[in-house]
Amino acid sequence: MLNHNLGHTRLIRETCEAHGLSIPQTAYVLATAHWETNSTLLPVKEGYYLGSRAESFRRSLRYYPWYGRGFSQLTWERNYLRASSALKVDLIANPDLALDPVIAAQVLVLGSKEGWFTGKKLADYIRPGRTDYLGARRIINGTDKAAAIADLALACEYDLTPAPAYPALRRGARGKAVTEAQIHLTAQGYDPGLPDGVFGARTEAAVRAFQRSAGLTPDAIIGPLTWAALIPEMET
């Protein structure tokens, strides 16, 4: 389950929303940040996992001092220049500004959306009619750990997708939607018991009876047709 209080999860989500990303695109951006930061959702420096050896490792990189920083590891001088221009901050004079959470979130989101890192963009893989979380790794880093990040993206998408206002209900369901169904069943002369939000045997029997009288399949599942019959003014 997505922990909205973990690190800068909320900031990244808000930045995605500000730049018009869809739920699947936001899910992939969050999955990328999870992976690149070892699930801390805090900006990191490349090689952070090496501890006391990290700085010597960074100095050995071809692109030092433009090594990876942030939620998505911004690297190479040309990318620092591009980010500086887009965000109106001087990341050349002070590359460590890329560790500022607000700047790091902008780099992660805009970089993924516009293809700063590899030339590949979010919309190349995730758009209406296509959700290729496996291929989307090419936005950041070829195919390295693509499957693991795709799994994270699926989990994030599930957590980000709002529950339907009128979900399918059956025996065993609980919650506000069950309470609403019970209230409407009672109003129409059926007896689901108290409106306690628990879809038990009594509610099941009331749903079957209602469905029979409404000319519906008496399967005791409150789906779109049953909801529409229970609440005639609702849009399905």
Side-chain angles (χ1 to χ4, degrees):
M1 180 176 291
L2 188 62
N3 181 353
H4 299 281
N5 295 316
L6 178 65
H8 294 290
T9 299
R10 290 184 186 276
L11 171 63
I12 294 171
R13 283 195 61 187
E14 290 166 0
T15 306
C16 288
E17 183 177 352
H19 289 290
L21 270 59
S22 66
I23 285 176
Q25 289 174 338
T26 299
Y28 194 79
V29 166
L30 283 168
T32 295
H34 266 278
W35 188 266
E36 298 291 344
T37 67
N38 194 27
S39 297
T40 65
L41 275 295
L42 298 172
V44 297
K45 291 184 177 183
E46 188 171 356
Y48 66 90
Y49 48 85
L50 296 173
S52 61
R53 296 182 290 114
E55 186 58 28
S56 60
F57 164 74
R58 289 190 281 262
R59 287 182 179 277
S60 72
L61 296 169
R62 289 180 296 157
Y63 41 84
Y64 184 89
W66 321 113
Y67 54 78
R69 295 173 174 88
F71 296 119
S72 53
Q73 299 295 281
L74 183 68
T75 56
W76 296 97
E77 184 179 16
R78 63 179 178 274
N79 288 325
Y80 276 79
L81 284 166
R82 184 170 188 175
S84 293
S85 176
L87 304 179
K88 304 296 187 286
V89 293
D90 192 350
L91 297 174
I92 300 302
N94 186 1
D96 279 343
L97 283 175
L99 293 167
D100 178 273
V102 173
I103 293 173
Q106 291 287 343
V107 169
L108 170 66
V109 175
L110 274 178
S112 299
K113 182 179 181 180
E114 298 180 358
W116 294 1
F117 308 112
T118 65
K120 302 294 186 181
K121 305 175 183 179
L122 276 170
D124 293 337
Y125 302 96
I126 306 169
R127 59 180 183 271
R130 184 183 188 191
T131 303
D132 180 7
Y133 287 144
L134 195 63
R137 182 57 175 161
R138 292 180 173 86
I139 297 166
I140 302 291
N141 190 8
T143 59
D144 179 56
K145 307 300 182 183
I149 298 169
D151 288 343
L152 284 171
L154 280 171
C156 287
E157 181 185 353
Y158 178 83
D159 285 337
L160 290 170
T161 301
Y166 295 97
L169 302 173
R170 66 184 71 208
R171 187 168 180 171
R174 293 171 177 265
K176 292 181 179 179
V178 175
T179 301
E180 183 169 356
Q182 290 169 327
I183 290 170
H184 284 286
L185 284 164
T186 300
Q188 296 208 34
Y190 298 88
D191 182 16
L194 292 174
D196 57 4
V198 178
F199 198 134
R202 198 164 169 181
T203 298
E204 183 180 52
V207 172
R208 286 190 195 278
F210 171 77
Q211 288 173 324
R212 289 191 187 98
S213 69
L216 301 171
T217 301
D219 58 7
I221 297 172
I222 306 178
L225 294 178
T226 302
W227 275 119
L230 268 177
I231 313 174
E233 68 274 16
M234 75 173 283
E235 295 181 2
T236 59

